[in-house]
Amino acid sequence: MTPQRIAIGAGESESVVWLGRGLLADAGSKLVSPSGRFLLVSSKAAREPVDVLRRALGGRLFLDLEIEDSEETKTLDASAAIADRALEAGVRRDDAFVAAGGGVVTDVAGFAAAIVLRGVPWNAVPTTVAGMADAAIGGKTGVDHPLGKNLLGAFHPPRTVLVDPAAAATLPDRDYRSGLVEAAKAVWIRDARLSQRFEELLDAILSRDEGALLEVVSGAVQVKAAIVSSDLREAGDRRLLNFGHTLGHAFEAAGGYRELRHGEAVAWGIAGALVLSRERAGLPAGDASRILSLLARLGPFPEPARSEEELRALLARDKKATSRGIAGVLLERIGRARVEEAIPEGEWLAAAAAASIPVSGSGNQP
Amino acid sequence: MTPQRIAIGAGESESVVWLGRGLLADAGSKLVSPSGRFLLVSSKAAREPVDVLRRALGGRLFLDLEIEDSEETKTLDASAAIADRALEAGVRRDDAFVAAGGGVVTDVAGFAAAIVLRGVPWNAVPTTVAGMADAAIGGKTGVDHPLGKNLLGAFHPPRTVLVDPAAAATLPDRDYRSGLVEAAKAVWIRDARLSQRFEELLDAILSRDEGALLEVVSGAVQVKAAIVSSDLREAGDRRLLNFGHTLGHAFEAAGGYRELRHGEAVAWGIAGALVLSRERAGLPAGDASRILSLLARLGPFPEPARSEEELRALLARDKKATSRGIAGVLLERIGRARVEEAIPEGEWLAAAAAASIPVSGSGNQP
C-alpha cells in the first residue's frame, strides 16, 4: 500500500507526516537528516516497534538513548540530559534526532533538539495513539514545570512524522483507548462526516484493526495539519485544538498527573465543554449526546477529582489565560467549533461539576 | 534628535532597533509588550542606566530581577531560574521581558523568554558596546555548556532593541574597548567607507564621545541588520559575521573565559584570520595592515594562550564545523568577505601561532 503524505506548514518549518502500514521498516528512506546521521531517543515502553526502527536506521545511528515515557519525567532536566549526551557524542547542526515513543518522549526529545546548537532537525515516530493523532503533530515541544504542564518549551516542528499503526500494537488497552479521545477531539471540531465514520469504525478500532485505526488517525492528522498550517503560532484557529483541554488540564493536574491519563482528563474536559457549548453556543442536544456516547464506548474512565477550590487555582494558571480572561473552545455543532475569549471562572467551575459521561451498555451504541 | 529606526527581518519575527541619545528615558514609549506589562532582567554591573530604564517603565514592571553579567553565569540554570521567577510571578503569553545589560544578560534572559510558555516577547537594552553593536542584534539567544560556548539556545529575536550610547557611559575602559572590536568586525566584512570613518572617529570614541560612538555602532548595526534580514537562520551570509570567531572562540576557551574578554579573543581571532586571508583570499597587505593598526589602537590586548594541543581539541568542537570540515570566514579586501567551507585544521593552527597585533605608538596612527 502506498503511504499517505500530509505536509504541514511550508519552507523552513515544513513537517511531512507519512502514514501507512509497514512504514517503521522503511524509516531509513523516510526520516530526514542532512548529514545522514541520527540520534535516537526512544521510550523504554516501546521496545518492539523501536527495534524495528533501529534495524531500519542501522549504522546511521550514532547515539541510542532510552528514556521513561511518563509525565513525571517530562522535565527540563530530562531535555538537558538528552542535550548533554548529544553534545558529548559530537552532534553537529546537520545531524538529526529521532524521537520514538509517546507524547512525553516526542515532547522532551523534540525540545532537546530545539535547544541543542540553537536547533537541530528532528523526526518523530509516535508509538501511541495520542502521539500519532495529536502530540507529534504540529511542532509544539516542551516540558512540565512544578507550576504547570508544558510551561517551558519551543515551537520546533519535526521534519518528518512517521505514523505506522503497528507501532501501537503492543500499547496497553487503557493507553490505546485514552489516545483515541484526542483523535475524536480533532474530528469533532472540524469534520462531521469523519465523526460518523469514527462511530462506524470504533468496534474494529477497539479490536485493534490496524486499517481502521489508520483511517481515523489519518483523518485526525488531516484536521490538525490544516489548522496548524494556517496558524503555526497559535494566534487563531489553532486554539480550536484546545477543545476539552481547559478543564482537561485542570482535571489532570488535580489528579497529580497519576490518576488520569491525558486523554481521559480531556474526555472529562470535553464533557464539561459540552455543558458550556449547550448554554453558550447553541450545540444541539443530539450532537452532545452522540459525543458522549462515543466517549462512553471509549471508557469507562476513572472519575476526576473535582474540588472547586483546587480547580479554581488551576484554572487561574491556565496558559491560554490572557489578561482578558480564560478563553475556551465551544462546539456549535459536530464539525464546527469557535473560541470564546473570556468565559467567567464561575461558569467553568459549574461545568466541571456538571460534566458527566454515561456508562456504555453494549459498547456499541448507535 | 530624532532616533534612528532599523528593522530586522519581517512579520512575526521582526525586530526593530532604535538608536539615539536619550532613548533610555523614553523606553516606556519604545519597548513593546502586548499586555503593557514588563519583566525586567538586568545586570548588576549596569545599575545607573538600569535605574533610568526602571523609572521610564514605572508601574508597568511586575518583576525586577538583577543577575550577574559574567560568562560563568551564562548557564542553562540561570535561564531556568529566570523562567521560574517569571512563572511564579504569573507571566502570561502577552507579557514581555526586558533584558538590560551586556551580552550575557541579553543572551540568558532572551533564552528564558524563548522557552517560557513556548516563547514570550522580549526587548533588549544593551548597556555594553559589544551588546549594542553585536550581541543584542540578530535574534540569537543562548547559554554556555561545559563542552563549549553557546551550545544551547534558540533563535528568538527581541521585538525591540534600544541603543542609547549613554547606557555605556559607566562601562570600564577594558570592556568599552573590547566591545569596539565587534563593531569593527561588522564594518570590515561589509563596508569599506565606514571602515575609514571608524579610523577617523576612533580618538573621539575612545575619549567617550557619545555621538561618535553612536555613529559607528549605528553603522555596525546596519551591516548586521542587512545580513541577518537576508538570512535569519545562518544558512548563508550570516556566517560572515563569524569573521574572527573560529580562532576567537578557541582563544577564549583556552583562557577559561577569564583571561580574555570576548572582544579581545575576537581581536586575536581576526589577526589569525588575516593570515589565512592573505594566503587564501588575496587580501592586500595594505588592508591587513590597516586592520591591525586599528586593533592596535583598541589594545593592547592580553596575549592569548596558544597551546597547539589545546587549540586543536577546541577547534574540533567548533559549532560551525559540519561533517565537511571547519569552515572559516576570509577577507578578500576591507568591505568584502567570503566563507571558505573546509580549511584544514593545520592551517588554522599555523594561523593561530602566527597571529600578531602590533603595539600602537601614539594611539593615533594613520
Side-chain angles (χ1 to χ4, degrees):
Chain A
M1 200 174 66
T2 313
Q4 187 184 5
R5 181 185 189 280
I6 299 174
I8 304 177
E12 267 183 359
S13 61
E14 187 185 62
S15 266
V16 172
V17 186
W18 290 100
L19 301 106
R21 299 175 74 174
L23 277 178
L24 275 179
D26 194 31
S29 75
K30 291 285 181 290
L31 302 186
V32 170
S33 167
S35 72
R37 306 199 309 167
F38 293 101
L39 304 92
L40 175 63
V41 181
S42 68
S43 162
K44 286 182 184 167
R47 289 230 169 106
E48 292 181 42
V50 169
D51 273 342
V52 181
L53 179 65
R54 203 173 264 130
R55 279 193 297 275
L57 296 176
R60 299 164 70 191
L61 284 183
F62 73 102
L63 184 66
D64 189 343
L65 282 181
E66 280 191 342
I67 65 172
E68 297 287 343
D69 201 352
S70 66
E71 199 69 35
E72 300 94 73
T73 59
K74 196 175 151 184
T75 62
L76 183 57
D77 283 351
S79 289
I82 294 170
D84 285 347
R85 295 290 302 272
L87 292 168
E88 286 160 13
V91 60
R92 300 184 190 127
R93 285 190 173 166
D94 52 355
D95 297 324
F97 280 77
V98 178
V104 169
V105 170
T106 51
D107 274 6
V108 166
F111 185 47
I115 65 174
V116 165
L117 308 182
R118 294 201 189 91
V120 298
W122 73 290
N123 304 270
V125 183
T127 62
T128 64
V129 176
M132 294 175 187
D134 191 52
I137 312 293
K140 286 187 184 177
T141 70
V143 297
D144 299 336
H145 184 272
L147 292 175
K149 260 189 93 160
N150 298 322
L151 291 182
L152 300 175
F155 285 92
H156 187 54
R159 294 287 183 94
T160 310
V161 183
L162 205 71
V163 176
D164 181 342
T170 56
L171 200 64
D173 213 46
R174 186 174 171 189
D175 297 300
Y176 187 82
R177 285 168 173 261
S178 67
L180 289 166
V181 175
E182 290 282 14
K185 172 211 73 177
V187 168
W188 286 325
I189 61 173
R190 246 324 146 72
D191 194 331
R193 193 201 55 76
L194 188 60
S195 169
Q196 186 172 342
R197 186 78 183 132
F198 200 159
E199 293 165 16
E200 292 160 10
L201 288 171
L202 187 55
D203 282 342
I205 292 172
L206 291 179
S207 59
R208 304 293 184 112
D209 180 308
E210 289 183 7
L213 174 65
L214 188 60
E215 182 175 341
V216 161
V217 164
S218 161
V221 169
Q222 283 176 66
V223 167
K224 186 157 182 181
I227 290 178
V228 168
S229 293
S230 71
D231 177 26
L232 281 177
R233 287 267 167 183
E234 201 161 31
D237 273 1
R238 185 158 186 169
R239 296 163 73 199
L240 299 177
L241 293 164
N242 296 319
F243 180 53
H245 280 62
T246 303
L247 286 178
H249 278 146
F251 286 140
E252 196 179 5
Y257 301 105
R258 288 177 309 274
E259 307 301 321
L260 295 178
R261 298 278 190 278
H262 176 67
E264 295 168 348
V266 170
W268 287 108
I270 288 173
L274 292 178
V275 175
L276 291 171
S277 300
R278 293 273 296 131
E279 290 168 0
R280 291 178 149 255
L283 178 71
D287 283 20
S289 162
R290 277 178 62 192
I291 289 172
L292 289 169
S293 292
L294 194 129
L295 289 177
R297 290 168 70 195
L298 291 175
F301 303 123
E303 274 282 327
R306 306 201 204 199
S307 145
E308 187 174 304
E309 198 177 345
E310 193 172 7
L311 291 178
R312 189 194 307 277
L314 289 164
L315 285 172
R317 291 207 303 243
D318 189 283
K319 188 154 35 110
K320 280 96 190 173
T322 69
S323 38
R324 293 166 294 169
I326 308 174
V329 181
L330 303 182
L331 217 55
E332 298 176 350
R333 52 177 168 77
I334 288 178
R336 188 186 177 105
R338 70 160 194 243
V339 172
E340 194 127 329
E341 288 301 340
I343 300 176
E345 185 190 74
E347 291 193 39
W348 283 112
L349 293 171
S356 159
I357 301 174
V359 175
S360 175
S362 66
N364 191 10
Q365 298 171 339
Chain B
M1 201 174 67
T2 312
Q4 186 184 7
R5 182 185 188 280
I6 299 174
I8 304 178
E12 266 183 359
S13 61
E14 188 187 60
S15 266
V16 172
V17 187
W18 290 101
L19 301 106
R21 300 173 74 174
L23 277 178
L24 276 178
D26 194 29
S29 75
K30 291 285 182 290
L31 301 186
V32 170
S33 167
S35 73
R37 307 197 309 167
F38 292 102
L39 304 93
L40 176 64
V41 181
S42 68
S43 163
K44 287 183 184 167
R47 289 230 168 106
E48 292 180 43
V50 170
D51 274 341
V52 181
L53 178 65
R54 203 173 264 131
R55 280 194 296 275
L57 296 176
R60 300 166 68 192
L61 284 183
F62 73 102
L63 184 67
D64 190 343
L65 282 180
E66 281 191 340
I67 64 172
E68 298 286 344
D69 201 353
S70 66
E71 199 69 35
E72 300 95 71
T73 60
K74 196 175 151 183
T75 62
L76 183 57
D77 282 349
S79 289
I82 293 170
D84 285 347
R85 295 289 303 272
L87 291 168
E88 286 161 12
V91 61
R92 300 186 190 125
R93 283 190 175 167
D94 52 355
D95 297 322
F97 280 77
V98 179
V104 169
V105 171
T106 51
D107 274 7
V108 167
F111 185 46
I115 65 173
V116 166
L117 307 182
R118 294 202 188 90
V120 297
W122 73 292
N123 303 270
V125 183
T127 63
T128 64
V129 176
M132 294 176 187
D134 190 54
I137 312 293
K140 286 187 185 178
T141 71
V143 297
D144 299 337
H145 184 273
L147 292 175
K149 263 189 89 159
N150 298 321
L151 292 183
L152 300 175
F155 285 92
H156 187 54
R159 292 290 183 93
T160 310
V161 183
L162 206 71
V163 176
D164 181 342
T170 56
L171 201 64
D173 212 48
R174 185 173 170 189
D175 297 300
Y176 187 84
R177 286 169 172 260
S178 68
L180 289 166
V181 175
E182 289 282 13
K185 171 211 74 177
V187 167
W188 285 325
I189 61 173
R190 242 330 140 71
D191 193 332
R193 193 202 55 78
L194 188 60
S195 169
Q196 185 172 341
R197 187 76 185 132
F198 200 160
E199 292 166 17
E200 292 160 11
L201 287 171
L202 187 54
D203 282 343
I205 292 172
L206 291 179
S207 58
R208 302 292 184 116
D209 179 307
E210 290 183 5
L213 175 64
L214 188 59
E215 182 175 340
V216 161
V217 164
S218 161
V221 169
Q222 285 177 64
V223 167
K224 186 158 181 181
I227 289 178
V228 168
S229 292
S230 71
D231 177 26
L232 282 177
R233 287 268 166 183
E234 201 161 31
D237 272 2
R238 185 159 186 168
R239 297 163 72 198
L240 298 177
L241 293 163
N242 294 320
F243 180 53
H245 280 63
T246 303
L247 286 178
H249 278 147
F251 286 140
E252 197 179 5
Y257 301 105
R258 287 178 310 273
E259 307 301 321
L260 295 179
R261 297 280 190 278
H262 177 66
E264 295 168 348
V266 170
W268 287 108
I270 288 173
L274 292 178
V275 174
L276 292 171
S277 300
R278 294 271 297 130
E279 290 168 358
R280 289 177 150 259
L283 178 72
D287 282 18
S289 161
R290 277 178 62 192
I291 289 173
L292 290 169
S293 292
L294 194 129
L295 289 176
R297 290 168 70 194
L298 291 175
F301 303 124
E303 274 281 329
R306 307 200 204 201
S307 144
E308 187 174 304
E309 199 177 345
E310 193 172 8
L311 291 178
R312 187 194 308 275
L314 289 163
L315 284 172
R317 291 208 303 245
D318 189 281
K319 187 153 36 105
K320 280 96 192 171
T322 69
S323 37
R324 291 166 297 170
I326 308 174
V329 181
L330 304 182
L331 217 55
E332 298 176 348
R333 53 177 167 76
I334 288 178
R336 189 186 176 105
R338 71 162 195 242
V339 172
E340 194 129 329
E341 289 301 340
I343 300 176
E345 184 190 73
E347 290 193 39
W348 283 112
L349 293 170
S356 160
I357 301 175
V359 175
S360 175
S362 66
N364 190 10
Q365 299 171 340

